[in-house]
Amino acid sequence: MDDADSIDLSDNDEFMLDVEITAANVQEAINMALAEDDNSNSNLTTNVDLPPLSDELINFDGNKFGEELLHQTEYDSMEKVLYQHWRTFVPQCFIFHTNLIKGIVEQRADEILFRPFDIYLYGTLNTDDAIQVIRSYNKKSTVCGHLFKSEEPTYFCRDCCVDPTCVLCTDCFLQSEHRKHRYKMNVSAGGGYCDCGDSEAWKQHVHCNLHLPHDDNKDSADDVLNRLPSDLRLRAKHLFTILLRFIIKLLSTGNPQDVPNDLKNEYWDGDHKRYVTILFNDEIHTYDQVINVLSRAIQCSKPEGHELASLVDREGRTAIRIGTMDQCRDVQQIIRIRTADVPLKCEIYPSAFISLQYFAQKILSYLQTIMEISDGFRRIFCECEVQSDTQQDLTLTEKALLSEKMLWKSARAALHQIFINSFFMDSEWKKTFAILYMKNYSTVWRNFVKDPDEYVSFTDLSVQIYTVPTLCYPMITGYYRNDPSSLYRADCFLSLSVQLFTTQSLARYLISSHNAFQTIVDSFLEYCQLKLDHGKLLFSRTINASMQHEFRRAQSILYDLKYLLGVVPQEYSIELRENFLNGFRAFLQLLSYMHGMDKVTRQVGQHLEFDPEWETAFNLVIKIQSIVSSVLDWCSNDKELLLRVYEATGSALLEIQKTSDISHLIKDKTSSSMVKTTVHDLKVDCYAYDVAKDPVTVHIPVMRLFVALHIHLHKYTDTLTTFNSLCEQLQMYPCFVYEEALRIQVLCAQHVAGLWKRNGYSLSNQIYYYSNVKCRKEMYDRDILALQVGASLISADTYLVQLLHKFNLLEWIRSPENGHTSETESRVKEKVRIMEEFLHLLIIIIGERYEPFIGKVTREEKLTREIVHQLCISPMAHSELIRGLQDCGQIELGSGEFETALKEVADFKRGNAAKGNYEVKANRLSEYNQFYYHYTKADQCKSEEYVIKRRKQTDDGISTTLFIPSPPLFTESFQPIIHIFDSNIFLTLLKACVYRSTDPKAQLWSEAILNRALHLMTLACYEQERTPNFEFYSKCQKFELDKLINQLHLNTPSKAETCKELLAYVIKLYNRFSETNEQLNSSTSANFNQETSDITKRQQRKRKDLAAQKRAKIIAQMTELQKNFIEKNIQLCSESIDDQASESASPGTYSQLSSMISSSVQQILPISPTMPLKFEPMSIDDTYPNIQSCFGTNDLELSQSAKQILTCIFCQENSEVKLNSEAIVLSAYVQNSRVLSKTRSRRIENWDTFDPTFMSNDLHWGVHVSSCGHAIHASCWTKYHNSITSQDHRRTLRMRGSANYDTERNEFLCPLCQTLSNTIIPILPSLRTFAHDRKLAQMSFSEWIDGLEKALNGSIESRYEIETHEQQIFFNPCPLTTITKMMAERAAQNFQLLFGFAGDSRVQDFSDSIRERLMSFAKNVYAFGLNVDPDEDNDRIPIVLWTSCAYTIQSIEQLLRIDSKSIFSQLSIRQSELVTCLIKVAAVYGSLHDSDKIKKHCLTLLSVLLLSRTNIQMPSLIDIDLFHLLVSLCFTLPILFASKEILPSLTNVPPGNLNDLYLVRLIVMAHCIQILSSQGFLYETKIDDNQQAKMEKTINDDDDELKTLQELIEKIIKNQASPSCLAQLLPIEEIRDKLKLSLLPLLRCTALFYHHLTGTSWPTESGLDEYATICHYLALPICLSKLLDAENERFSNDLINSWISNLSTSKSPVKYPILVNELHSLPREYIDLMNQVSQGVAPYKYARDEARSPCICLTCGDVVVRSSSSSTATVPHLMTTNSLISTLLNMDQTMGPCNTHTQQCCGSIGLYLRVKECSLLLLSIINDGRINKTRGTFMAAPYLDDYGETDQNLRRGNPLHLCDERYRTLHRRWLSHAIPEEISRNMEFNNTSIYTHNWSQF
């Protein structure tokens, strides 16, 4: 079934863990999960119930029947007895469940059916003891043979494996030497087995420590078998034979009437209700199609239909109806009618027949368990498998292989596994199976190709005979990944080919004795016959889809051929040679079919209407590349084989020559294809063919194979003689060897020139892939080789004329001095461009010699050159470099040559978290060749720029002008190529190029032509230097080429100016050849390079001096203009200087301003500096008076605030921030958070009724606000928001789910930076501007406390409720006048000054715009923060707003803490702007809300801190987060005594006066008691080392401090429960240090809060530690005795005692000092992580749903997997019991496990590591009880390989190591609540398809 849009929602797959669960609660959870699973699927429509167990079934005694078989039944009659027994009981033991989704239910099957087998086999009722005895006969195995399951980790060693199919299981790998080597890891698709112990799979270290061979393990197979008792062997053979026959009979037929009569019961046919309709799988219909047709046929719901479709896809078939024949036939007819185009296979069978087939599958599993008991049983079973059938001359194994088309997925998989577990565990039996397999190879493949069920086939046995395709990295993996047939052989019999053909000895045996090479090729040729048109393969887009489908599947045969030829023999026998030749001739026939396919003809008038199908041909080329390479390796090692193959290929090439298309140039079609071409006095036979008019193709594999064989001839014979004799013998034109390759080069040149534009994208794509790294090895590179072969075999003049004739450029040598033409400009450009391409080709033919057997180079030198030229494009990562190299698969699997070469030529440069890049070394830049033949045009341009740039940066004398380097020497066979240089035609061509350069009016010329001609002359000069008797120099004089060059250099025209340095270089090379040129030495080139370099350096130095003079002149002019401007605008400049002086007074503000200006986003003018603090004398330390406090500023001394001007990012207008002007806002994102939570198990069930008044100190919930910091007018934002909302509504419904923002949730993206936002926050002026003419209050801390306690007690009232008969206590705020009457006169006056604001008659208010945005922001914070519906009148709005302010500050403080930064560190612009705006909005919102409600809230908060005369039910102080309490009281205290008669005034905002100072002191005191009373604080024995290091002891021990602390501790201990007898009290000094360390988080948050509230600048460096500095900044005493005010007896005895008594009643889980939440600790090595998870989570059989992958929650460390109905257990150190229960229950079946776990553990944000894919899964969930939406994205995991690269989906498989920097970055993003933004950005970046993931299913 097509899984393109399928997600497997079933929960019936196996889920087994290694550790058994014994805890009662876990077992209860499992039982609940099973019960719910039963109930959830109970509604499927069926017409039959489970029948009750019959008496016969209940009373049957399996032991008795087994004894009867053992003692009373004869061998001959045993089969009949068993058949009768099965006929009666199998239909009763295996019946369909009422819920058909649950399939077949077993009833007493083990006792009735399988127990007799054991008794008979072991000959006793005590089978367990017998099994132990038989196991004792076994010897320790030296072969692993572990069968891989789907998703199981596998490993292979690049250093030791024979081929890429050799793999190890996890256990063997961890116990082997290969772990220390260059290994690769991957994930299996299932079906293969471990190669540990196979000597033919490994070069060394064959055995792991678990399977080491011993001396006593050398027994033969017969010895293993003889150790079993003889009677046991006889019984086993007899039983296995009967069972195998039964299995083959039942599984190999689709007709119930073919079953033996002894197995047919009374319900086999006739009229009854036990028929069943079976639906079969195919790979054509999608899930939706199957679900829809099922809903019509059996009236099931969509979820039920999905379950049935999943079952069909997984098992291959399923029952969909049980009933009478008519009922079943109705369902069948409906399905066939609804799928009339391609009907779904749907058959009707008796239910007894299906039960018997199910029983046959169960027997296969039973036999596998038997074989695991004894190797002797395995050998006996193999003997039974090869027994011949009595009716047919076929073995049982052959019958199974040939019956594939009758089997379904699960049946094939079972047979597949039984073959591997039996035949493949023994080399001799493996050979036997290979013979049977090859005998029936074609039939097996024919069944596979015709079978509609692609996913499972016996053809996979081909792959398994090597190993497993998905495990063979990278060759096999790469091919299978790029080929759609990769999924087709996962569990089929053909997958066993890998196991057979990669076994060296077995592969050679199959070729030599069973003609395997020819058999495989003939099997593929059978399918090629259907695609032939006039002897050539023809592919069309309009052909029948099923035929295309069949041919695509048939291409998988070529993989078997690659495996078979993968290992080259060292010795060749006669049989091996002959059978290889037979196979080669068949393979040559395939190449002949491909030769000339997909021909194209140039479109002249009309554009091509439909692009032809070209992809299949290139896919075929890709598949045969490795086969051709293997054929060449086989042939090159044997002379006789090479010569015979060479001759056969020549004969095939002759046939192609005879049947090739005749050009339109030939009028007489019967005459020769050669034409005479005359150039001056030279007459040349040229092949008549016009590429511009005649058909041409890029597929010429026969010719390419011929030239590839040709270069190996020099090993055994004379190349030229052999070639000429072959041409004479076959009467073949010598030029035809390269004729077709030349046509392709002409085609490419004409395409570049624009002659083929009307042929569409099809031709462009073909030309692109022709030279692409995927295909070029057997296409472009072979064509260049063919041209080089031709140049070496034919005289130079003749060769060049033939090339020029084909390119239609003969006029360049016939009239070299005529550069003029009367043709159109476009035609001229075409000719010029073709000439450029021709010269480029000539450079490649002559200069590309880095190929073994062509140039005198080694493979290592060739590889080194490829690496250098790849890195000359740009620095590259390791994987990018590998992909760009030829033979990348062999490089990955090689012996380390690539790594060695890479270290020689490149330096590895790697950043902390970025991937590392290789950069070519400077001394290798001289090897750069800009005409490197693997460069595309783009690569050439990039490389030239990069190399010039690098050369400029170096001072080693390398010229920046790009000269072509000297190539290596040709080998003897190819040495004639260099005579092209001294040929008359070549020199005439050079003369034409140079002469036309001197003609300013020449049209047929270009700068590129001259450049290429000069490079050709450079190459000729190199050859002249090192080749004796070379005539290039003398002939240059003859053609007067030297004079032309000198003339061009002396009088260089402007159009050739860029070639001047190259001209000088050529002249210097040329001038070295004097009349006495015999004394030339090899160092000439280097000397010339040095001279040219000196000239270049002098010219560069001169240019630099001129540029410096010009810059100095320009700067002087600018300075003069600046002076004139200042003189004319002296007043304006003086004002600017004053502004700068005010800036310097506030360094923090200035640095922030500088950052803003540099960002060019917004410009903010400086804010007025703060004034010195003045308040009443306090008992604080004044040792450092230079530290300014943020409290107590005299309001009368406030200076006028400077204007704050912002630039709108939308309209770019500047606006001043005022109260009465239009609002300026920031985009913000509000989210409910649990990031800072200390108790993740704690959840809030109902947000609608939740009371957020007091924040718990475990921070189990919170509201976080973030912003990008970009300002925009409110009106501009409204326009922008309306536009995106309307745009979203116009979007189709299908596309809305893929958007990275949700307008229904008020989400939008910042117009400038595209940051995700869901609200806007208004920007307000400084809070100090709201206060005017306020007098400073002078009162003590005790008086302030006394006043507030009077206010609290005076506001408490009680009411008796008649209904509840209880006394209800409530708050009625007491007026200020009432409070002051109860106080002393001086204290009353100061209290009045502090809270009354007397004399303030001016009332400031906001504009309507600002007020609206304030109210809107508060409403959004409430709605998004609590996940509730908006409610403007809700009393919780201000509370949630203040909570968001405190929570956001706490989050920022923790971010600074993990970065090891002081609280005084500069925040980022976005953080600073956000906190400032958020605090201002929170401060003023209380004035806009109902003052009575604010007052009552303030009194409620005070009740937990102050003494009250009434016992008020409030939470304990130890359970409250005191910073949240501080923030709320800071905003509410100024409003506590606000008068009702006066309108709400903005003067009620907190100004940072005495009120705030005493409030902070009270909170800090309470926090001290809270910390000391916390659980275990006084008794812990160790402080975290990192935290302890932060507490630097800068003061000496204070006796008063220690005494005060000791008294407090004694009181706390007295009130607490008695500690454990083992707990010991810490020393008082350590408790003090620990207390101060625990106070730091609160102090840091408080300092940050009041810094932005008051605008007071941070203190400068004072030499104090952070604790002391913060205390000074907050005007708090450093000494704890002064802070706790121990001398105040009333305070000490009442307030502290009250706190301590309340604290003793609570048990808070929070421990101090509070640490920052960390992400789950991951192993350093990824292999350890994979092994941990794979050991705990069993693989599932068909892994086609990526949502099933096990994930590690990075927040808590739990392993999250899809729920299962099987018993499970925990993974050590990874999975917890709680997570297991939640995973098993999975209460919301519509949500995936990660979604469910996220809401239970992480709130709305989930971070998961997908182990099998090595990727991160990020989830953002919105679930408010009404809607449930999930967004997500995938990111690279924080694991990098040795090259600094990530490896998502383990494509490369390199060893991975945890990158601490990346993991820290992820931690910071999580802690800063940036995950929703990350998801949004990734969704936008990756949103390339309308088909998006359903993130709720993860």
Side-chain angles (χ1 to χ4, degrees), residues 249-304:
K249 287 178 182 178
L250 264 296
L251 298 184
S252 62
T253 180
N255 185 0
Q257 302 306 322
D258 294 340
V259 175
N261 293 329
D262 290 337
L263 292 172
K264 298 178 181 178
N265 64 359
E266 64 272 18
Y267 297 106
W268 203 258
D269 47 25
D271 186 13
H272 55 80
K273 294 183 179 181
R274 296 189 181 181
Y275 289 101
V276 58
T277 305
I278 300 294
L279 179 66
F280 289 85
N281 180 58
D282 63 23
E283 296 296 327
I284 299 173
H285 297 88
T286 64
Y287 262 68
D288 286 340
Q289 290 173 333
V290 176
I291 293 170
N292 290 335
V293 74
L294 286 176
S295 63
R296 296 295 185 92
I298 60 175
Q299 291 80 45
C300 65
S301 64
K302 189 172 183 179
E304 293 165 348

Side-chain angles (χ1 to χ4, degrees), residues 1170-1176 1178 1180 1187-1195 1328 1336 1526 1530 1550-1561 1564 1646-1647 1649-1651 1653-1654 1656 1670-1676:
T1170 58
M1171 304 302 294
L1173 303 177
K1174 294 184 179 179
F1175 50 86
E1176 63 167 316
M1178 299 285 296
I1180 64 172
I1187 298 180
Q1188 188 179 22
S1189 174
C1190 61
F1191 294 131
T1193 302
N1194 192 339
D1195 298 330
R1328 295 282 178 115
L1336 184 64
L1526 168 67
C1530 175
N1553 59 3
L1554 197 65
N1555 209 17
D1556 296 290
L1557 171 63
Y1558 289 155
L1559 175 61
V1560 170
R1561 184 173 181 180
V1564 173
T1646 305
F1649 172 69
Y1650 278 103
H1651 168 69
L1653 180 69
T1654 63
T1656 308
I1670 294 177
C1671 286
H1672 280 292
Y1673 185 73
L1674 296 176
L1676 294 175

Side-chain angles (χ1 to χ4, degrees), residues 1169-1218:
T1170 58
M1171 304 302 294
L1173 303 177
K1174 294 184 179 179
F1175 50 86
E1176 63 167 316
M1178 299 285 296
S1179 57
I1180 64 172
D1181 301 332
D1182 56 355
T1183 311
Y1184 298 91
N1186 60 324
I1187 298 180
Q1188 188 179 22
S1189 174
C1190 61
F1191 294 131
T1193 302
N1194 192 339
D1195 298 330
L1196 299 176
E1197 298 180 10
L1198 278 170
S1199 62
Q1200 183 65 29
S1201 296
K1203 296 179 180 179
Q1204 185 180 6
I1205 299 178
L1206 300 176
T1207 301
C1208 174
I1209 61 174
F1210 199 81
C1211 65
Q1212 296 298 310
E1213 292 185 1
N1214 296 334
S1215 299
E1216 182 182 354
V1217 179
K1218 296 181 179 179

Side-chain angles (χ1 to χ4, degrees), residues 369 416 471 580 584 662 749 1152 1393 1562 1581 1653 1663 1766 1789:
T369 60
H416 178 274
L471 309 178
F580 180 86
F584 178 79
I662 300 176
Q1152 182 176 355
L1393 289 174
L1562 179 63
T1581 58
L1653 180 69
S1766 302
Q1789 294 295 331

Side-chain angles (χ1 to χ4, degrees), residues 843 846 964 981 986-987 989-991 993-994 1009-1025 1030 1032 1036 1040-1046 1048 1062-1063 1065-1067 1069-1070 1073:
I843 293 174
I846 300 173
I964 194 168
F981 289 130
F986 176 76
L987 291 168
L989 189 64
L990 287 184
K991 184 177 179 180
C993 296
V994 178
I1009 290 177
L1010 176 60
N1011 181 276
R1012 286 162 169 74
L1014 293 175
H1015 280 293
L1016 282 170
M1017 292 185 67
T1018 303
L1019 289 173
C1021 291
Y1022 292 153
E1023 294 298 335
Q1024 181 70 60
E1025 285 184 272
F1030 198 61
F1032 173 72
C1036 281
E1040 298 182 345
L1041 192 60
D1042 53 342
K1043 295 180 180 179
L1044 284 175
I1045 292 292
N1046 286 320
L1048 184 63
L1062 184 57
L1063 271 169
Y1065 180 69
V1066 172
I1067 291 172
L1069 283 177
Y1070 184 81
F1073 308 117

Side-chain angles (χ1 to χ4, degrees), residues 579 731 1430:
N579 282 336
Q731 297 182 352

Side-chain angles (χ1 to χ4, degrees), residues 1287-1305:
Q1287 178 184 355
D1288 184 72
H1289 289 165
R1290 291 193 301 269
R1291 186 184 303 160
T1292 60
L1293 182 63
R1294 183 173 57 179
M1295 288 289 292
R1296 291 182 188 176
S1298 61
N1300 56 334
Y1301 62 93
D1302 184 6
T1303 55
E1304 295 180 1
R1305 294 279 298 175

Side-chain angles (χ1 to χ4, degrees), residues 418-444:
I418 202 75
F419 284 155
I420 288 182
N421 285 336
S422 56
F423 287 120
F424 289 83
M425 297 297 105
D426 184 276
S427 58
E428 291 299 323
W429 284 108
K430 188 176 184 180
K431 181 178 179 179
T432 302
F433 177 82
I435 295 171
L436 297 175
Y437 182 73
M438 289 308 306
K439 177 182 175 182
N440 301 277
Y441 184 84
S442 297
T443 308
V444 172

